[in-house]
Amino acid sequence: MKKIFLTAALAALLCSSMTSCMGKFALTRNLYAWNDQVSNKFINEIVFVAFWILPVYEVCGLADLLVLNTIEFWSGDNPMTASTKVIDTDHGRYLVECDGKGYDVTLESTGEKFRLEFASDSQTWSLQTEGKEYPFMTFVDATHVSVPLPNGGWQTVELSQDGLMAYQAIATSTMLAKK
């Protein structure tokens, strides 16, 4: 009986690992990312070693291998990558959910929703709401983006503080001229 149970457990382990080996290992990566930002490099190393001694990394890796990556393999989504963040602003509380391709944003008080999505083929971020799409930034190269102007045109600006200030000045002067 013990031999049959051991054989079945080993077979289940092998099947699980074969279907899940190509997953993101999101739980383990999240743990590494958390450890990396704990403090300075010496404290990070102490936490790292302690987590190996206390088998935290081993348990996370095993959970990723046997459960989370298997769910990701069969469903296409890893439960650890889907998360909702809460952002409090002067305009209200926003719930932001990332699906790996963009962000779904909901204003909690009114239920108003919109989506921010990145199109990799055109390198453009756009706002999607009420069935309409409004592009608001296109990457030109590593240091420049093209952004819309209030008059309907587009302006290429440098990704720097000076570029942002220049864009704000252009947008503000255009809006003041319309008044």
Side-chain angles (χ1 to χ4, degrees), residues 118-124:
F118 183 71
S120 57
D121 57 336
S122 64
Q123 295 292 297
T124 301

Side-chain angles (χ1 to χ4, degrees), residues 105-150:
V105 182
T106 305
L107 178 57
E108 190 176 53
S109 62
T110 64
E112 181 181 352
K113 295 181 180 185
F114 62 91
R115 179 166 175 77
L116 300 172
E117 187 158 319
F118 183 71
S120 57
D121 57 336
S122 64
Q123 295 292 297
T124 301
W125 277 100
S126 62
L127 169 76
Q128 298 172 351
T129 183
E130 299 176 2
K132 295 181 182 176
E133 185 172 322
Y134 304 95
F136 64 87
M137 182 172 62
T138 300
F139 288 91
V140 176
D141 58 34
T143 59
H144 295 86
V145 293
S146 184
V147 290
L149 296 171

Side-chain angles (χ1 to χ4, degrees), residues 39-77:
S39 185
N40 64 45
K41 66 182 184 179
F42 300 107
I43 302 296
N44 290 353
E45 182 64 18
I46 291 168
V47 171
F48 179 76
V49 171
F51 278 10
W52 273 113
I53 293 169
L54 295 172
V56 175
Y57 285 117
E58 293 91 334
V59 170
C60 286
L62 193 60
D64 270 331
L65 180 70
L66 297 178
V67 179
L68 299 173
N69 288 354
T70 303
I71 292 170
E72 181 180 0
F73 176 81
W74 291 108
S75 72
D77 295 319

